[in-house]
Amino acid sequence: MSNTPSFSTTTEPPGGDLRSRSVTMHEDARFLELRSRLLRFVVPMSVGFLAWYLLYVLMSAYARDVMAFQIVGNFNFALVFGLLQFASTFGIAVWYARYANRRLDPLADELRAELQNGGSQRTEAGA
């Protein structure tokens, strides 16, 4: 009995082996540009958010007086800081969705269509 999964050949796009077309696609300049665009957003945003979160953790551990400062009523700086963590998470998610819709998805759709059509056709936007 084989451990390799069986795939129906009817689901593969026409025009050759899907695996070889996928490997070839990784060398395509448009794929490299897509990857570059993704990394240009994700890496700085991840570093920035992790630094922001680390600041919150460090201040909670070592700047207790600052974090305990009462702003209004029972709302102290730590509570506001924590709520801003949630707000920044949702803000980054919305920002990424807009960025992806504008800068990533059109190119990814073009590459996917070409891969599924066997690599023989380029869309008008990519030609």
Side-chain angles (χ1 to χ4, degrees):
M1 187 162 200
S2 173
N3 288 340
T4 58
S6 61
F7 295 102
S8 172
T9 56
T10 59
T11 60
E12 284 191 13
D17 181 26
L18 177 61
R19 180 173 290 167
S20 66
R21 288 195 321 267
S22 297
V23 169
T24 303
M25 185 64 71
H26 284 117
E27 298 170 358
D28 189 295
R30 295 167 298 153
F31 180 81
L32 296 175
E33 174 63 23
L34 178 65
R35 194 169 126 211
S36 174
R37 289 178 187 181
L38 175 68
L39 291 176
R40 277 193 304 253
F41 184 89
V42 170
V43 170
M45 232 7 93
S46 297
V47 169
F49 183 79
L50 289 174
W52 164 242
Y53 179 72
L54 185 60
L55 176 67
Y56 175 67
V57 171
L58 290 174
M59 287 186 69
S60 294
Y62 298 108
R64 291 181 182 258
D65 291 340
V66 174
M67 297 298 267
F69 179 76
Q70 298 289 323
I71 297 174
V72 174
N74 289 333
F75 287 101
N76 61 14
F77 190 71
L79 181 61
V80 172
F81 208 152
L83 292 174
L84 287 174
Q85 292 287 321
F86 285 104
S88 63
T89 301
F90 290 115
I92 291 170
V94 169
W95 191 4
Y96 175 77
R98 290 181 179 182
Y99 178 82
N101 285 336
R102 190 178 70 252
R103 303 275 296 150
L104 302 177
D105 292 348
L107 186 54
D109 290 343
E110 176 185 329
L111 291 171
R112 183 182 314 110
E114 184 174 324
L115 188 63
Q116 290 175 342
N117 290 330
S120 60
Q121 299 174 350
R122 283 185 83 174
T123 61
E124 292 178 17

